[in-house]
């Protein structure tokens, strides 16, 4: 098996799905997973993108010691050139000096690809001359595909396609085939978008005297409008999801559901179940909807399943402004002074936060009140909570809290009594208290939060709020 991304940008979630499928299939078959970096687009390739691919794979569990590579396509230029020369000398490829404009002018409005103009001109290599493969005029090419059955392509509809540029460098179609031959690739799992390339590549395998690999074209990943996920339009970077606080286990579980499902209508399952049950033949060829809302719900389930220690570890990057994974960029620094962060305070709040957040990044607005000198006040929440009667309520609560036992249950019953004296139910009575202490109208359980914050800091914030009214 091979996974062959290009280092030209952030790591696409669709690529991550294909990598996982290749990796699992190789393990199931007792085979080898090869990472090949297709780096021949020199104008767009950057070393940091290659490192980003390695880090992203590691984050979803494909560790660097579980595959061969990375190998780089640019290192195989000599083999590419040799294959191109072999096809040319065997009469299965020819040189063409037609420009795109000339081809289009000959075809007119009915342009359907190259018209074979240079097939019999016996041109040799030279400036401005690309090498084209001589596609068969008759018959058909059958692609045996583990996902799609046996798609059949009429050879007369396959144009004489370019396999090498005028400078001698191989294009993707040939380079990809030669690399697979050189590396002994026997099975290719890749996205459906490559299916139109497959008959051309299969013809190249045959022309070079080799048996093509077993193909499996998995479904394209689409957005809610059923459009193919696009870097220009959609959120597709695996790193972005990672840095928003999606757990690796949740992400890879969800990615494997894009076109396939475990038995018994289950979705959230241990990774060992996926490794055991995944079957290429069961992958649905229909487009797979990448539902971010569903992924978010998945993530919340995985967060709630963490042990307290694992949850605290998972939250640490957002609490400290450090990278989520080795080699990654640091996430945004939290709004508090690092010296004011107290791990023991966080540990006391964490169980209440763990049941309420769906993304790890959401931990910050849930606990920031405990580490800021003053709460970050939401103006809309303040305006709604601090209406007529709020000053009186705050004053009474301050007086009651000064002598009350400082535990959540006592604080709750104390405020209930203060509210009842004013004809308010607890929900109404606690709104000004919550905004005064945390700055927001929603958050962790109020009285547990007050218990952790402590009497002095709570009363200081209540008095400051009352002074503004």
């Amino acid at each position: 098996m091979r996974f062959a991304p290009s280092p030209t940008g952030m790591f696409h979630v669709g690529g991550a799905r294909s990598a996982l499928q290749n990796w699992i299939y190789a393990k199931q078959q007792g085979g080898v997973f090869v990472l090949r970096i297709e780096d021949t687009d020199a104008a767009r390739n950057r070393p940091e993108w290659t490192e980003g691919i390695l880090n992203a794979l590691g984050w979803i569990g494909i560790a660097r010691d579980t595959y061969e590579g990375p190998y780089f396509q640019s290192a195989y230029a000599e083999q590419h050139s040799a294959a191109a020369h072999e096809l040319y000398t065997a009469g299965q490829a020819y040189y063409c000096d037609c420009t795109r404009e000339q081809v289009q002018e000959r075809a007119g409005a009915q342009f359907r690809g190259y018209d074979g103009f240079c097939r019999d001109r016996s041109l040799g290599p030279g400036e401005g001359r690309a090498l084209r493969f001589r596609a068969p005029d008759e018959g058909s090419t059958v692609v045996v595909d583990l996902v799609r059955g046996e798609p059949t392509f009429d050879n007369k509809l396959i144009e004489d396609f370019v396999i090498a540029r005028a400078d001698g460098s191989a294009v993707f179609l040939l380079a990809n085939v030669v690399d697979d031959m050189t590396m002994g690739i026997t099975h290719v799992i890749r996205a459906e978008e490559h299916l139109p390339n497959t008959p051309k590549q299969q013809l190249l395998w045959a022309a070079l005297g080799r048996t093509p690999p077993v193909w499996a074209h998995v479904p394209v990943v689409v957005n809610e409008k059923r459009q193919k996920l696009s870097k220009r339009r959609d959120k597709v970077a695996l790193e972005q999801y990672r840095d928003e606080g999606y757990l690796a286990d949740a992400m890879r579980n969800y990615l494997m559901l894009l076109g396939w499902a475990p038995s018994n209508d289950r979705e959230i399952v241990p990774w060992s179940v996926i490794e055991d049950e995944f079957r290429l033949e069961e992958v649905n060829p229909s487009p797979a909807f990448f539902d971010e809302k569903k992924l978010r719900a998945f993530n919340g389930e995985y967060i709630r399943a963490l042990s307290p220690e694992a949850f605290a570890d998972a939250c640490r990057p957002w609490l400290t402004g450090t990278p989520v994974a080795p080699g990654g960029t640091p996430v945004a620094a939290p709004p508090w002074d690092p010296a004011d962060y107290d791990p023991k305070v966080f540990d006391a709040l964490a169980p209440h936060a763990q049941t309420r957040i769906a993304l790890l990044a959401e931990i910050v607005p849930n606990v920031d009140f405990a580490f800021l000198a003053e709460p970050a006040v939401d103006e809309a929440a303040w305006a709604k909570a601090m209406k007529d009667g709020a000053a009186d309520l705050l004053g009474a609560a301050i007086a009651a809290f000064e002598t009350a036992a400082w535990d959540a249950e006592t604080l709750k019953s104390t405020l209930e009594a203060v509210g009842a004296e004013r004809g308010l139910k607890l929900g109404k009575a606690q709104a000004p208290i919550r905004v005064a202490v945390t700055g927001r109208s929603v958050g962790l359980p109020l009285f547990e939060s007050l218990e952790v914050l402590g009497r002095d800091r709570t009363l200081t914030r209540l008095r400051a709020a009352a002074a503004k009214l």
Side-chain angles (χ1 to χ4, degrees):
M1 315 298 299
R2 51 83 164 168
F3 178 60
S6 297
T8 56
M10 303 294 275
F11 195 55
H12 197 291
V13 291
R17 189 268 309 263
S18 294
L20 286 169
Q21 291 172 331
N22 276 280
W23 189 59
I24 290 175
Y25 193 78
K27 291 180 71 174
Q28 289 177 339
Q29 304 298 320
V32 177
F33 177 86
V34 174
L35 176 62
R36 183 172 75 228
I37 305 297
E38 300 201 334
D39 62 337
T40 52
D41 187 349
R44 298 173 61 206
N45 294 339
R46 285 158 45 186
E48 57 266 35
W49 294 134
T50 296
E51 189 62 25
I53 290 169
L54 303 181
N55 291 335
L57 289 174
W59 183 66
I60 56 173
I62 304 178
R64 299 193 188 195
D65 60 354
T66 63
Y67 55 81
E68 286 193 7
Y71 301 115
F72 293 87
Q73 188 172 69
S74 58
Y76 296 86
E78 185 175 331
Q79 289 91 328
H80 303 160
S81 296
H85 182 70
E86 178 182 340
L87 292 170
Y88 172 64
T89 56
Q92 293 177 305
Y94 61 91
Y95 283 96
C96 170
D97 62 1
C98 297
T99 65
R100 183 186 302 272
E101 291 73 21
Q102 289 171 336
V103 175
Q104 291 176 335
E105 183 178 351
R106 288 196 300 269
Q110 302 301 315
F111 178 68
R112 291 188 176 87
Y114 181 67
D115 57 1
F117 181 81
C118 291
R119 264 191 170 199
D120 301 314
R121 293 179 63 200
S122 301
L123 297 176
E127 184 176 352
R129 295 178 179 179
L131 187 64
R132 289 184 179 272
F133 181 77
R134 188 185 297 270
D137 295 322
E138 299 177 347
S140 59
T141 297
V142 179
V143 174
V144 178
D145 192 298
L146 294 180
V147 174
R148 299 175 185 279
E150 297 187 358
T152 301
F153 299 84
D154 191 342
N155 287 337
K156 68 181 180 182
L157 299 179
I158 301 175
E159 67 175 352
D160 290 354
F161 52 92
V162 173
I163 57 174
R165 304 175 185 89
D167 63 3
S169 61
V171 302
F172 164 79
L173 287 170
L174 179 61
N176 194 265
V177 166
V178 173
D179 290 346
D180 284 349
M181 289 180 179
T182 303
M183 297 178 181
I185 301 302
T186 61
H187 293 68
V188 172
I189 302 174
R190 59 184 182 180
E192 176 188 355
E193 64 198 62
H194 291 289
L195 183 59
N197 293 329
T198 308
K200 298 177 181 179
Q201 292 184 313
Q202 195 156 297
L203 289 171
L204 289 173
W205 276 85
L208 291 168
R210 302 285 289 275
T211 301
V214 176
W215 307 100
H217 289 88
V218 295
V220 65
V221 181
V222 298
N223 61 20
E224 68 278 1
K225 296 181 180 178
R226 299 306 187 266
Q227 301 167 318
K228 177 187 169 185
L229 283 186
S230 166
K231 291 182 179 181
R232 296 181 178 87
R233 181 185 56 238
D234 304 302
K235 188 169 77 174
V236 302
L238 187 72
E239 298 93 329
Q240 185 175 355
Y241 287 99
R242 179 194 66 195
D243 293 347
E244 287 180 357
Y246 286 89
L247 293 170
D249 286 347
M251 175 59 78
R252 64 180 187 170
N253 184 165
Y254 182 73
L255 289 173
M256 288 301 296
L257 299 183
L258 297 176
W260 175 81
S263 61
N264 300 322
D265 295 322
R266 295 175 297 171
E267 291 187 318
I268 297 178
V269 295
W271 185 247
S272 59
V273 171
I274 293 176
E275 287 189 314
D276 181 59
E277 293 191 0
F278 176 70
R279 296 292 182 272
L280 267 178
E281 297 82 357
E282 296 175 0
V283 172
N284 189 328
S286 300
F289 172 34
F290 190 92
D291 186 345
E292 191 174 344
K293 292 181 180 178
K294 186 173 182 178
L295 172 60
R296 180 185 172 90
F298 258 56
N299 203 60
E301 293 290 334
Y302 270 89
I303 285 176
R304 288 186 282 279
L306 293 173
S307 68
E309 296 77 17
F311 177 67
D313 286 342
C315 289
R316 188 163 292 111
W318 290 271
L319 301 172
T320 57
T322 52
V324 179
T329 56
V331 299
W336 52 77
D337 188 317
D340 293 332
Y341 175 71
D342 186 340
K344 292 182 179 179
V345 170
F346 174 76
D347 289 344
L349 294 173
H352 307 297
Q354 186 173 359
T355 61
R356 285 167 170 78
I357 65 173
L359 301 178
L360 293 173
E362 295 171 351
I363 192 63
V364 172
N366 274 277
V367 302
D368 63 356
F369 73 92
F371 308 118
L372 293 169
E374 298 179 356
V377 177
D378 178 270
E379 295 302 329
W382 177 278
K384 184 176 181 180
M386 302 303 182
K387 296 181 179 178
D388 293 342
D392 174 60
L393 178 74
L394 287 173
I398 291 169
F401 286 167
E402 285 177 338
T403 57
W406 205 258
D407 62 85
E409 284 301 317
T410 302
L411 293 171
K412 178 181 178 181
S413 60
T414 299
L415 187 59
E416 278 183 317
V418 169
E421 291 173 357
R422 288 154 180 79
L424 299 174
K425 292 184 177 180
L426 182 60
K428 293 289 186 180
Q430 71 179 4
I433 308 298
R434 179 182 291 279
V435 173
V437 174
T438 71
R440 297 180 176 87
S441 58
V442 295
L444 305 186
L446 175 61
F447 303 104
E448 286 79 358
S449 298
L450 299 183
E451 181 180 341
V452 173
L453 191 64
R455 188 192 306 272
D456 291 344
R457 295 182 72 194
T458 297
L459 291 175
T460 296
R461 293 184 181 189
L462 291 175
R463 291 178 182 130
K468 295 179 182 178
L469 298 177

